[in-house]
Amino acid sequence: MAGHEFYDPADRKRPVADPTAADALAAEESRPSCDPAFKHGVVVGFDGSTSSERALAYAIGMAHRSRAGLIIVHVANRLPTTVWAGCEPPVFVDVPDHRTEVLGLELACADYLAEVPWILVERGGDICHELEEVGREYEADAIVVGSTHGLVGRIFGSVAGRLAKRAKRPVVVIP
């Protein structure tokens, strides 16, 4: 088993690039560099749900067959303060999410992850954006996600559907 990593909440905050700045990539320089052992790996979105467990199982097999690392991504909750305050513009606050630590411990004890090197990355924000961002940082060969079958997915659009439309790399949706 390779292990996992947790970013401190301060590391999850992404600086917003100033659109008037000459170097738009300067904001990205503060992001810690990814482990080169996981370059061209397989990114999988995981939240502990049944569909994400199926996606994880598929991603493990995919990473094992391609002899690549597995980047497991858990996106923590972020809620706009406008929900409570009714003010503009929206400001996002991090909601404490200890689920990542619990998921990390469960994954660390899982025998099925012994086949591939893996890391657990926690992010905060929009799930689609964060999965694509992690995929970009690690130059991932694919992003694997589970499908949603709930009412929220029908109303707001599923993560898988939105990700498939905007991703710059292959997206595998597991039913």
Side-chain angles (χ1 to χ4, degrees), residues 44 46 52-61 70 72 107 112-113:
V44 60
F46 186 72
S52 73
E53 287 176 357
R54 287 193 298 266
L56 178 62
Y58 185 87
I60 290 169
L70 182 65
I72 303 170
L107 292 170
Y112 53 85
L113 277 170

Side-chain angles (χ1 to χ4, degrees), residues 85-101:
C87 60
E88 294 294 330
V91 177
F92 287 92
V93 295
D94 287 325
V95 176
D97 188 356
H98 301 291
R99 182 75 181 138
T100 303
E101 293 175 24

Side-chain angles (χ1 to χ4, degrees), residues 39-51:
K39 288 273 189 191
H40 303 289
V42 177
V43 170
V44 60
F46 186 72
D47 63 1
S49 67
T50 304
S51 64

Side-chain angles (χ1 to χ4, degrees), residues 7-121:
Y7 294 112
D8 291 331
D11 292 337
R12 286 189 319 204
K13 301 212 188 292
R14 177 175 323 198
V16 178
D18 181 11
T20 61
D23 186 10
L25 297 176
E28 293 295 323
E29 292 176 3
S30 64
R31 168 83 62 198
S33 63
C34 65
D35 186 342
F38 292 95
K39 288 273 189 191
H40 303 289
V42 177
V43 170
V44 60
F46 186 72
D47 63 1
S49 67
T50 304
S51 64
S52 73
E53 287 176 357
R54 287 193 298 266
L56 178 62
Y58 185 87
I60 290 169
M62 188 177 187
H64 182 69
R65 287 186 298 275
S66 63
R67 293 181 177 86
L70 182 65
I71 302 105
I72 303 170
V73 181
H74 178 251
V75 180
N77 296 325
R78 293 188 87 200
L79 296 175
T81 57
T82 55
V83 170
W84 301 296
C87 60
E88 294 294 330
V91 177
F92 287 92
V93 295
D94 287 325
V95 176
D97 188 356
H98 301 291
R99 182 75 181 138
T100 303
E101 293 175 24
V102 173
L103 289 174
L105 292 173
E106 290 173 7
L107 292 170
C109 297
D111 292 334
Y112 53 85
L113 277 170
E115 300 175 14
V116 294
W118 63 277
I119 57 171
L120 176 61
V121 178

Side-chain angles (χ1 to χ4, degrees), residues 132-156:
E132 177 60 22
E133 185 67 20
V134 170
R136 185 191 62 73
E137 289 172 14
Y138 285 91
E139 299 174 21
D141 289 341
I143 300 172
V144 180
V145 292
S147 62
T148 40
H149 300 287
L151 178 64
V152 175
R154 284 190 213 127
I155 294 172
F156 296 109

